[in-house]
Amino acid sequence: MGDIIQAICPCGLESEAIFQGIGFNYYETGYAVEPAYCDTCGIVTGKDISKNFSKCPECRRKMKFYRDEMEATKEEQELLPSYIDYQEAKRYWHCPRCKRQTLRFESTGCWD
């Protein structure tokens, strides 16, 4: 189960829907999606956190995960963060388009 989130910034950046978290197929596929960004292309998208190297769909460079910016606690290491964790960790995040700390995550729903 996970959250459907969207990254939004006043500079005009709006990501596609990111199906963050894990679904019922996780135990078969091991696929866990978290929001990631590319500073070169100025995009935010969902990428598989279990991979060592997630490539940008546009320039093919390594993407950075927002999860890496969250403070590491024992709980967060055991569980994948949910939308609520992103909201509680920081109010504003790094925007890859304008390079300011003005990006926020909004919840648009839940998924299984």
Side-chain angles (χ1 to χ4, degrees), residues 29-43:
T29 64
Y31 192 76
V33 176
E34 293 296 328
Y37 64 94
C38 176
D39 268 331
T40 304
C41 299
I43 63 169

Side-chain angles (χ1 to χ4, degrees), residues 1-3 5 18-22 33-35 81-83 86 111:
M1 183 169 173
D3 296 306
I5 59 175
I18 299 170
F19 287 75
Q20 185 248 337
I22 60 175
V33 176
E34 293 296 328
S82 68
Y83 165 74
Y86 281 98
W111 70 281

Side-chain angles (χ1 to χ4, degrees), residues 20-63:
Q20 185 248 337
I22 60 175
F24 286 116
N25 291 334
Y26 173 75
Y27 296 102
E28 294 175 17
T29 64
Y31 192 76
V33 176
E34 293 296 328
Y37 64 94
C38 176
D39 268 331
T40 304
C41 299
I43 63 169
V44 177
T45 188
K47 298 300 273 182
D48 184 1
I49 193 106
S50 65
K51 293 184 179 178
N52 291 333
F53 190 85
S54 289
K55 295 179 182 178
C56 172
E58 294 183 16
C59 70
R60 311 302 286 163
R61 292 185 182 176
K62 185 176 182 177
M63 294 192 78

Side-chain angles (χ1 to χ4, degrees), residues 48-99:
D48 184 1
I49 193 106
S50 65
K51 293 184 179 178
N52 291 333
F53 190 85
S54 289
K55 295 179 182 178
C56 172
E58 294 183 16
C59 70
R60 311 302 286 163
R61 292 185 182 176
K62 185 176 182 177
M63 294 192 78
K64 298 175 186 170
F65 286 95
Y66 284 102
R67 182 177 183 193
D68 295 341
E69 294 181 27
M70 294 176 70
E71 292 181 359
T73 65
K74 189 174 182 179
E75 256 185 17
E76 289 170 356
Q77 291 171 358
E78 292 174 9
L79 301 172
L80 293 171
S82 68
Y83 165 74
I84 299 300
D85 293 326
Y86 281 98
Q87 290 297 345
E88 290 176 359
K90 289 171 74 172
R91 184 172 180 181
Y92 295 106
W93 298 82
H94 171 74
C95 175
R97 180 188 267 176
C98 67
K99 311 296 189 253

